[in-house]
Amino acid sequence: MASEDVFADVCRACRLRYIKATERTDFNPAKMALSHEDSMQAPGQMDSNNGPLPYVCSLCEGILPALLDIDTVSAIATLIPPFDSKTLTLGIVLPSSVALNERSFQLYLSTQEPSDYATKPVVDVKDTAKLLLQQQLAPLVPYKLTTDSTLKATFTWCHDHTEDRCHVLEQLQPREFQARRQAKSKAKRAIVTSDIQRVFDKTDEETLRKYLKLPPPPPSQPAKQPEVEFYRASAYIGGRYNKYARDVPQSPWFIDGERKGRSSVEEVIREPLLALTNSRKANLISAGREDIDVRMLGQGRPFAMEMEVPLTATVTQAQLDDIQTAINAAQPDVQVRDLTLITSIEAVDALKASAESKRKSYSCPIWCSSLLTDEAIATFNQLGEVTIAQKTPVRVLHRRSLANRPRTIYSLKLSALDTPHFYMLELITQSGTYIKEFVHGDYGRTRPSVGDLLQCQADIVALDVMDVDFAWPPKENTNELEM
């Protein structure tokens, strides 16, 4: 067997990966009988074989010894909040420098005696870290650790020296990193394991030995404690909303830090649902949107609230009914109905698509420069289906691309109001039609406009959405629904 000197800067857990381990069960923490302290002693101390022990492992950068320390793992366990779940799947991300250390060390071993170190199967450092984490966490968390849970926790370790240590890869294969070198420092993407694999595959051994430090030197500090991110499929709670105020936008609206309007539809619905599901955040999805000064009447606009990473996995219809009652009682501007859990992602996709595919009904008082005769009104009402061309309105050009869109007006009905020059217009249109511009023409950018059809100047006074033609929400036949 080769001298233990080749493993002088390698922790015992990593030595085991290279020398003794033949199966994953060899990494049982109790069987290894290791602690953080006796795995990572100070420089100059000797192990039982009189070999020097590193302060920080040159391969795993101190991650494996830390996972063998119950106090460290107990601290990691506190990062996991109490999800309403019976199972949990663990994922890990190690510093890219660990993958570089591993490949460099294997190249170094190929020059040592006996040479079978270079070909002997090695237990992957990432697999080992994941196995140790799972074994140590299992008795500390209230979840069964599985490989197929809908709840996933990803632990990410970082090291301050990763960028500097991996810089040599750009020297070895500059073309592979051309875009990265040209990017501004803050926009540079991180070097990942696949980059390291690609560089080693494309570079001959002689060049690798010339540029790489063999064996890889131990870092002066261990990797940082991991950060954890949780993933759980979003939950969707849907219904319909009415908006009765002309100063409430659909979503929070700020210009130069100043709020426009009072609250928003999204905030009124979002906050109680966040409290119910303990979600990280919520996003409003709706079948189109109305301007801040437009009311949503009739049966209301279909919507779904996407609840991201909900801690609470189960809600009851009774809970949703209570929230609906509370929302409607708290303020008069936004009212909701038919609140229910949406369990089909296909239904949510259909809701998103409906914004551009469904018919919508509107009602709006308008002003006309001419006094219209009964005959003119009757002629207008008999127009039937009208196709118009709309350029992107001037008022939204700052946030929408310039385009010329055909839109269909399916029906038009005009009736006189008591005040001269004022009329009530009722219309059914294709989704995506700009109603205000259809009335006044938007400086000729919408053709024909209501003014063109009536052969006079026309302008809109107010606008109400009366109906959105979409069957929503889908009905669920259960009283308790799991996300």
Side-chain angles (χ1 to χ4, degrees):
M1 176 175 287
S3 168
E4 287 291 315
D5 288 345
V6 298
F7 295 101
D9 293 329
V10 178
C11 70
R12 292 179 182 175
C14 282
R15 293 183 193 189
L16 186 62
R17 293 192 299 110
Y18 277 83
I19 298 175
K20 299 178 182 178
T22 57
E23 299 179 2
R24 288 165 60 91
T25 53
D26 288 332
F27 291 95
N28 184 296
K31 183 177 179 180
M32 293 177 71
L34 291 172
S35 69
H36 182 70
E37 288 76 13
D38 72 4
S39 295
M40 306 306 297
Q41 297 181 44
Q45 289 189 328
M46 312 295 284
D47 67 7
S48 58
N49 295 320
N50 293 323
L53 284 171
Y55 181 65
V56 180
C57 176
S58 62
L59 299 186
C60 71
E61 301 182 350
I63 293 172
L64 297 187
L67 290 176
L68 288 164
D69 176 48
I70 192 61
D71 291 336
T72 300
V73 178
S74 296
I76 291 175
T78 64
L79 302 176
I80 303 176
F83 285 90
D84 183 2
S85 175
K86 296 179 180 179
T87 60
L88 175 66
T89 294
L90 303 180
I92 67 169
V93 178
L94 301 183
S96 299
S97 50
V98 170
L100 178 59
N101 297 339
E102 193 85 340
R103 291 301 301 266
S104 300
F105 189 67
Q106 291 170 10
L107 180 62
Y108 166 68
L109 286 181
S110 68
T111 66
Q112 305 302 303
E113 294 292 341
S115 60
D116 63 353
Y117 275 120
T119 57
K120 182 179 179 179
V122 178
V123 180
D124 183 74
V125 62
K126 184 175 180 179
D127 288 344
T128 306
K130 187 173 181 179
L131 179 65
L132 291 176
L133 180 63
Q134 182 161 331
Q135 290 175 334
Q136 296 281 65
L137 273 183
L140 302 177
V141 296
Y143 310 105
K144 180 181 179 181
L145 300 181
T146 69
T147 59
D148 58 355
S149 176
T150 58
L151 175 63
K152 182 175 181 179
T154 299
F155 294 85
T156 300
W157 280 264
C158 296
H159 201 294
D160 290 336
H161 76 180
T162 295
E163 180 70 23
D164 291 339
R165 184 161 286 195
C166 290
H167 179 68
V168 66
L169 301 173
E170 295 183 349
Q171 298 174 298
L172 288 167
Q173 293 292 336
R175 289 187 178 181
E176 291 289 330
F177 302 97
Q178 183 175 355
R180 186 178 185 276
R181 291 198 312 275
Q182 293 173 348
K184 295 181 179 179
S185 58
K186 289 185 178 180
K188 281 187 176 182
R189 70 169 181 83
I191 291 178
V192 296
T193 302
S194 59
D195 294 324
I196 297 169
Q197 177 71 40
R198 199 161 52 248
V199 169
F200 271 76
D201 288 346
K202 291 186 176 184
T203 309
D204 62 83
E205 286 191 13
E206 183 178 351
T207 303
L208 288 171
R209 291 192 182 96
K210 178 181 177 181
Y211 279 86
L212 296 175
K213 294 181 179 179
L214 303 178
S220 59
Q221 297 292 331
K224 298 177 180 179
Q225 287 298 304
E227 296 182 354
V228 61
E229 288 189 356
F230 296 93
Y231 171 80
R232 190 180 217 170
S234 295
Y236 296 89
I237 297 174
R240 286 178 174 260
Y241 74 80
N242 292 102
K243 180 168 80 77
Y244 296 114
R246 297 193 186 275
D247 59 351
V248 174
Q250 188 189 65
S251 56
W253 186 14
F254 294 87
I255 298 179
D256 296 329
E258 181 180 349
R259 178 186 281 273
K260 300 298 180 182
R262 294 184 297 110
S263 186
S264 68
V265 173
E266 181 174 350
E267 290 167 295
V268 168
I269 302 173
R270 179 185 68 198
E271 297 309 315
L273 294 181
L274 282 173
L276 172 67
T277 61
N278 294 298
S279 298
R280 181 166 60 189
K281 63 180 294 189
N283 307 303
L284 179 66
I285 303 167
S286 63
R289 61 188 302 119
E290 66 283 333
D291 292 338
I292 186 173
D293 59 349
V294 176
R295 296 187 299 180
M296 178 67 238
L297 306 180
Q299 297 299 305
R301 186 181 296 277
F303 77 90
M305 192 69 75
E306 179 186 12
M307 314 307 297
E308 291 190 10
V309 195
L311 294 185
T312 302
T314 303
V315 300
T316 66
Q317 187 59 52
Q319 288 175 309
L320 294 178
D321 291 343
D322 289 343
I323 284 181
Q324 178 174 302
T325 299
I327 290 174
N328 295 341
Q331 42 72 54
D333 300 327
V334 178
Q335 302 282 286
V336 296
R337 56 179 295 172
D338 302 329
L339 208 59
T340 189
L341 190 67
I342 310 300
T343 58
S344 167
I345 191 62
E346 290 78 12
V348 176
D349 291 339
L351 174 65
K352 295 176 182 178
S354 72
E356 294 297 329
S357 63
K358 299 300 181 181
R359 298 186 180 196
K360 297 179 182 178
S361 302
Y362 300 88
S363 177
C364 53
I366 66 172
W367 170 87
C368 293
S369 60
S370 300
L371 288 173
L372 303 179
T373 64
D374 292 342
E375 182 180 1
I377 293 174
T379 300
F380 180 85
N381 290 342
Q382 293 172 4
L383 286 173
E385 191 171 290
V386 177
T387 299
I388 65 173
Q390 283 196 315
K391 290 184 179 179
T392 304
V394 171
R395 65 186 172 92
V396 299
L397 268 176
H398 65 285
R399 56 185 172 88
R400 295 286 177 89
S401 60
L402 178 62
N404 194 8
R405 302 174 179 86
R407 289 291 183 261
T408 301
I409 311 299
Y410 297 107
S411 71
L412 292 162
K413 181 181 179 182
L414 193 67
S415 56
L417 297 176
D418 293 338
T419 304
H421 294 278
F422 287 88
Y423 304 85
M424 183 61 71
L425 175 64
E426 299 171 67
L427 62 165
I428 301 174
T429 75
Q430 178 184 357
S431 288
T433 304
Y434 291 101
I435 305 303
K436 296 174 182 178
E437 284 69 23
F438 172 56
V439 173
H440 59 63
D442 196 27
Y443 307 103
R445 299 171 69 83
T446 294
R447 294 292 189 185
S449 65
V450 170
D452 294 332
L453 297 172
L454 292 173
Q455 298 182 350
C456 66
Q457 291 183 349
D459 205 351
I460 190 167
V461 177
L463 178 61
D464 294 324
V465 185
M466 303 305 298
D467 184 52
V468 178
D469 182 20
F470 184 61
W472 186 265
K475 300 298 181 183
E476 300 289 346
N477 297 317
T478 179
N479 291 324
E480 186 171 289
L481 303 168
E482 186 170 340
M483 302 179 192

